[in-house]
Structure formats: structure tokens, C-alpha cells
């Protein structure tokens, strides 16, 4: 009777350790995957290209709101002010989400960008969006 | 009994499988996230659309393209970049322009070229004719054509070719 109870106990302990190890392994993998997808370099590359393509498609008079919420999470973590993550200089859109990195992408549209500022809510907090206002180059 | 339990729990084979699976996932994830997004095809289509809208928008020909008599204006070709709000200039003294575009106006009846406009770096033109697998290192091309009816009733077939190189920014 005592022996039988011992075997059951062993099986239970083995299974629990096995399951715990599997869960730990999967958790580490999931954390790795999430970190890869939210990495500064990866987001800088995709955001800079998205912004450049949006500018290329823009026409004078347009107002475009761009969602930078994922970038804000990373820039906040890396101590970069949200107001400084998007820089439009000349024909380049640059995204910088950490001190060490930054990615620029060229756009061909010769349009005037009147405003490229982060949006704020009523409390003065950044919402995670940027507003871009376009006008004709000749209207300057 | 103890050995059997130990073998089952901390088995070398089990860890080997874990390591193989983990290495496989890490390699796959790196292959996916490590590659840059290749947006050149979209970019070349956007460029072609922008030029098409500049030439013929809402059923109206750009008034700066034709004289009142319906003749193509040479100054439109000379000031094409300005007229169509394009700027291909890049930073760096030895950086080559990563764009090329050409616009051809063909007569509807004879399909003969009546007027043409070129801009950018025409070294990439040959890349459009190379049809091989794994051609991500070549420039991406986009072609667009449409019919244009002038105020005088003349019809032209407009062919636009737009090319974007930017290989370094879009491939590893």
C-alpha cells in the first residue's frame, strides 16, 4: 500500500517538474520573440520607411496622424524624449529610439512639411501619435 | 530507481532536443526580424502614381505640359522635377541617386513616341530586364500606362517607368 502511494508521488513530482521546465522554456522563447519584435533597430527601420512612404504619398493640404505607440514604449525605456524620435531633415525621415541607434530613409516628394510634432492630450501627456501637416513648397 | 528518475528528468537527449528547438526558433526569428523591410516596389509604384497624377489628374492634362495649340512644351521636360514636385537629391558627395523615371507619350494611332521625359540615374534601367531568382540586390521597377485625352481631342498612350535602387537600405 505504502509502495503504491510512493510511486504515484514520484510520477506526480516528475510530471510537475517536466511541465514547469516546459513552461519555463516556452516563457523564455516568448520573451525572446517579443523583445525581437520590439527592438529599437527593427522599429527604427520600419517606422522610418513608413514615414518616408507617407511623405512620398502626401499632397499639399494633407494632415496625417501617425501612430508611434510601439516606438514610444521603446523610446521611453531608452530615455529618448518622444518629441525627438522623428526628425525630418532635408529629404530624409529619421527615427531614433535609442542613444546608439537611428535610421534614416530618403523620400522623393518635394513637399513642404509645415509641422511634424507629437500630439498631446488635455493633460499635456504625449498620446503616442505624431501629426504631419503638408503644404506646397511654393507656399513658403 | 534514483538513476532512472534522474535520467528521465535531466536527460541529455531531452536537453539536446530543447537546444535544437531553441536554436531553430532563434535562427528563424533572426532571419525574419534581421532582414530589412523591402519597400522599394511600393516606393516605385508611389513614384509612378505621383508622376501620373502630375501629368493627368481628374481627366485634365497638366496645363504646363501642352501649349494651347496642343504641342508638348520643352520647358516642362527641363523643369520636370520642379513641375512634379520631385527631389532626388541625396546626401553625400559620392552617393549615387537611387531613382530613375521616364515618361513616354505615344501617339494613339501609330504608337510612335511623340515626347519623352527622363530623370534620375539611368544606370538602373538594365536591372528591369533581368528576370532571375534572388534578384533583391537589383533595383526595383514599376511600369504604369494610361491613355490621356487632350483638350483638342488628341489621345496619347502615356508610359511611365519608375525605378528605385536603395539596395543597402532594403536588403542585408
Amino acid at each position: 500500500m505504502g509502495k503504491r502511494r510512493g510511486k504515484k508521488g514520484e510520477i506526480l513530482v516528475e510530471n510537475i517538474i517536466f511541465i514547469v521546465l516546459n513552461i519555463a522554456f516556452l516563457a523564455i522563447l516568448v520573451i525572446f520573440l517579443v523583445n525581437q519584435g520590439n527592438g529599437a533597430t527593427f522599429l527604427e527601420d520600419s517606422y522610418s520607411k513608413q514615414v518616408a512612404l507617407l511623405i512620398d504619398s502626401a499632397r499639399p493640404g494633407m494632415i496625417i496622424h501617425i501612430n508611434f505607440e510601439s516606438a514610444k514604449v521603446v523610446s521611453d525605456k531608452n530615455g529618448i524624449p518622444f518629441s525627438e524620435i522623428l526628425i525630418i531633415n532635408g529629404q530624409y525621415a529619421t527615427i531614433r529610439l535609442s542613444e546608439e541607434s537611428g535610421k534614416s530613409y530618403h523620400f522623393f516628394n518635394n513637399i513642404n512639411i509645415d509641422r511634424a510634432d507629437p500630439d498631446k492630450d488635455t493633460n499635456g501627456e504625449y498620446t503616442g501619435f505624431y501629426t504631419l501637416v503638408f503644404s506646397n513648397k511654393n507656399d513658403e | 530507481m534514483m538513476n532512472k528518475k534522474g535520467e528521465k528528468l535531466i536527460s541529455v537527449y531531452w536537453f539536446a532536443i530543447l537546444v535544437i528547438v531553441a536554436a531553430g526558433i532563434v535562427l528563424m526569428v533572426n532571419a525574419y526580424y534581421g532582414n530589412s523591410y523591402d519597400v522599394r516596389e511600393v516606393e516605385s509604384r508611389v513614384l509612378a502614381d505621383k508622376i501620373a497624377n502630375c501629368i493627368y489628374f481628374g481627366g485634365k492634362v497638366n496645363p504646363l505640359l501642352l501649349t494651347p495649340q496642343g504641342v508638348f512644351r520643352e520647358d516642362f521636360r527641363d523643369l520636370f522635377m520642379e513641375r512634379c514636385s520631385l527631389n532626388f537629391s541625396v546626401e553625400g558627395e559620392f552617393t549615387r541617386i537611387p531613382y530613375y523615371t521616364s515618361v513616354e507619350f505615344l501617339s494613339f494611332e501609330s504608337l510612335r513616341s511623340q515626347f519623352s521625359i527622363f530623370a534620375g540615374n539611368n544606370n538602373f534601367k538594365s536591372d528591369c530586364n533581368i528576370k532571375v531568382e534572388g534578384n533583391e540586390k537589383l533595383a526595383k521597377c514599376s511600369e504604369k500606362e494610361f491613355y490621356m485625352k487632350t483638350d483638342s481631342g488628341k489621345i496619347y498612350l502615356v508610359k511611365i517607368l519608375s525605378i528605385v535602387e536603395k539596395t543597402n537600405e532594403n536588403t542585408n
Side-chain angles (χ1 to χ4, degrees):
Chain A
M1 189 74 176
K3 269 187 180 176
R4 278 181 70 193
R5 208 182 290 143
K7 266 187 187 172
K8 274 185 184 173
E10 278 168 22
I11 292 165
L12 187 66
V13 170
E14 283 170 13
N15 284 335
I16 286 171
I17 293 172
F18 182 76
I19 291 164
V20 167
L21 279 175
N22 274 312
I23 290 170
F25 174 72
L26 283 173
I28 291 166
L29 271 180
V30 168
I31 291 166
F32 169 76
L33 290 174
V34 169
N35 281 340
Q36 283 288 309
N38 291 329
T41 318
F42 174 75
L43 287 177
E44 281 167 354
D45 183 57
S46 61
Y47 274 118
S48 61
K49 285 172 181 170
Q50 280 179 46
V51 172
L53 288 177
L54 279 171
I55 295 172
D56 281 337
S57 313
R59 294 175 70 85
M62 272 188 179
I63 298 170
I64 296 179
H65 297 280
I66 309 173
N67 187 343
F68 276 106
E69 280 171 331
S70 313
K72 189 175 180 293
V73 173
V74 178
S75 69
D76 288 348
K77 205 168 76 183
N78 293 329
I80 302 288
F82 183 63
S83 56
E84 292 173 18
I85 67 164
L86 172 64
I87 302 152
I88 295 166
N89 189 16
Q91 290 299 115
Y92 289 86
T94 304
I95 300 287
R96 195 170 138 265
L97 299 179
S98 75
E99 288 289 349
E100 307 83 37
S101 60
K103 198 100 180 185
S104 300
Y105 201 76
H106 186 274
F107 54 89
F108 54 76
N109 195 357
N110 196 24
I111 197 167
N112 195 36
I113 302 163
D114 290 333
R115 205 160 74 80
D117 297 324
D119 293 350
K120 285 182 180 175
D121 61 16
T122 46
N123 301 322
E125 297 284 324
Y126 291 122
T127 58
F129 281 75
Y130 258 75
T131 299
L132 271 67
V133 180
F134 300 92
S135 69
N136 205 315
K137 264 265 156 99
N138 306 327
D139 296 345
E140 268 184 296
Chain B
M1 189 72 180
M2 219 28 207
N3 276 348
K4 268 189 182 174
K5 196 171 128 187
E7 273 172 22
K8 218 173 183 184
L9 281 178
I10 320 164
S11 154
V12 176
Y13 300 113
W14 169 243
F15 275 103
I17 290 164
L18 274 187
V19 168
I20 290 165
V21 171
I25 291 172
V26 168
L27 282 175
M28 283 188 285
V29 169
N30 273 340
Y32 180 77
Y33 287 113
N35 279 333
S36 296
Y37 279 121
D38 194 348
V39 296
R40 291 175 297 167
E41 263 183 49
V42 179
E43 202 175 354
S44 65
R45 282 207 301 270
V46 172
L47 178 58
D49 286 345
K50 186 167 171 59
I51 294 165
N53 286 337
C54 169
I55 288 165
Y56 195 60
F57 187 73
K60 291 275 171 202
V61 182
N62 188 328
L64 302 169
L65 176 65
L66 298 164
T67 62
Q69 292 77 33
V71 180
F72 286 100
R73 291 172 60 156
E74 286 297 324
D75 65 336
F76 188 87
R77 178 171 20 217
D78 301 337
L79 301 169
F80 171 65
M81 297 291 284
E82 199 180 295
R83 295 270 192 261
C84 289
S85 299
L86 296 171
N87 187 347
F88 291 168
S89 62
V90 286
E91 281 176 7
E93 207 177 333
F94 300 107
T95 315
R96 56 184 184 182
I97 293 169
Y99 304 100
Y100 174 76
T101 186
S102 70
V103 189
E104 197 105 37
F105 297 85
L106 307 167
S107 152
F108 178 66
E109 296 85 22
S110 62
L111 287 179
R112 282 198 183 152
S113 180
Q114 304 296 305
F115 191 67
S116 56
I117 303 165
F118 310 94
N121 188 341
N122 66 1
N123 290 329
F124 308 126
K125 234 178 132 181
S126 55
D127 286 6
C128 302
N129 304 321
I130 302 170
K131 306 275 181 238
V132 288
E133 269 184 47
N135 60 354
E136 56 276 342
K137 294 285 176 195
L138 300 173
K140 298 284 176 191
C141 311
S142 182
E143 285 178 56
K144 191 180 182 78
E145 51 182 70
F146 57 91
Y147 289 99
M148 175 180 97
K149 191 177 179 187
T150 66
D151 289 342
S152 56
K154 255 194 133 184
I155 300 170
Y156 293 95
L157 172 63
V158 184
K159 285 187 174 182
I160 299 171
L161 169 68
S162 61
I163 304 175
V164 177
E165 193 241 355
K166 293 188 180 177
T167 309
N168 293 337
E169 295 97 319
N170 289 280
T171 58
N172 284 338

